[in-house]
Amino acid sequence: MSYTIQSGDTFWAISKKLGVSLGDLQAANPGVNPTALQVGQVIRLPDAGGNNNNGGNPPVTGNGSIVGGSGGSNGGGGFVAYSGPASNYPNPNQWASYSALWAQNSRLMRFNSSEQEVEFIHQAIETVSASSGVDVRAILCIIVQESGGNVRIPTTNNG
């Protein structure tokens, strides 16, 4: 199935209008820049079963993978403070999974940010990870630590 972009459309608005997940819509259109949609442009829609029409593969951006996107099997648990050199920290395969971290933290982000803003944060994390090679879990944790995912947090000027 396909959809023709109309004036004012965004991936988020299309996903809400058609009742498909934003992630599935993005996965069905790996070569489409969601910030540069053009009126009349045709995009693919995921099928009703959530298949992204991309052979079942997740979205591929940047260098072809999302670092940390599938890593980690830990669902979270107790808090442990680590400090010092990197050798003092646990191996990334022992970290909580990105999906577990996102589920917990995106819920908290919604206290101060709209659903669309939270989805923009989600997209940005994956885009930056794909282009920089930085683990998505590390990016998410920095955002939560510094702003709680609140897009209205003031910036600092140390200059």
Side-chain angles (χ1 to χ4, degrees):
M1 293 179 50
S2 63
Y3 175 86
T4 303
I5 301 297
Q6 301 168 14
S7 179
D9 274 344
T10 64
F11 269 14
W12 184 84
I14 295 166
S15 72
K16 296 304 173 204
K17 181 180 0 179
L18 301 178
V20 298
S21 85
L22 179 61
D24 286 345
L25 183 60
Q26 291 173 310
N29 295 281
V32 175
N33 180 348
T35 62
L37 298 177
Q38 300 291 317
V39 172
Q41 179 179 2
V42 177
I43 61 170
R44 290 185 295 190
L45 296 176
D47 65 27
N51 185 331
N52 59 25
N53 294 323
N54 192 23
N57 297 317
V60 178
T61 58
N63 65 6
S65 66
I66 298 175
V67 179
S70 61
S73 58
N74 227 338
F79 177 81
V80 177
Y82 294 95
S83 63
S87 60
N88 289 357
Y89 291 78
N91 189 302
N93 68 7
Q94 296 175 317
W95 298 357
S97 68
Y98 178 55
S99 60
L101 291 171
W102 179 257
Q104 289 294 322
N105 289 290
S106 64
R107 189 171 48 103
L108 299 173
M109 290 177 190
R110 288 181 181 90
F111 285 121
N112 295 303
S113 300
S114 72
E115 184 70 29
Q116 184 175 17
E117 291 166 332
V118 172
E119 286 302 322
F120 285 151
I121 292 169
H122 194 218
Q123 286 179 294
I125 289 170
E126 293 182 1
T127 299
V128 169
S129 173
S131 65
S132 69
V134 175
D135 191 301
V136 285
R137 298 167 295 177
I139 297 169
L140 173 61
C141 290
I142 292 167
I143 288 171
V144 171
Q145 176 183 337
E146 297 300 320
S147 69
N150 182 351
V151 298
R152 288 166 197 77
I153 203 82
T155 59
T156 57
N157 181 353
N158 296 325

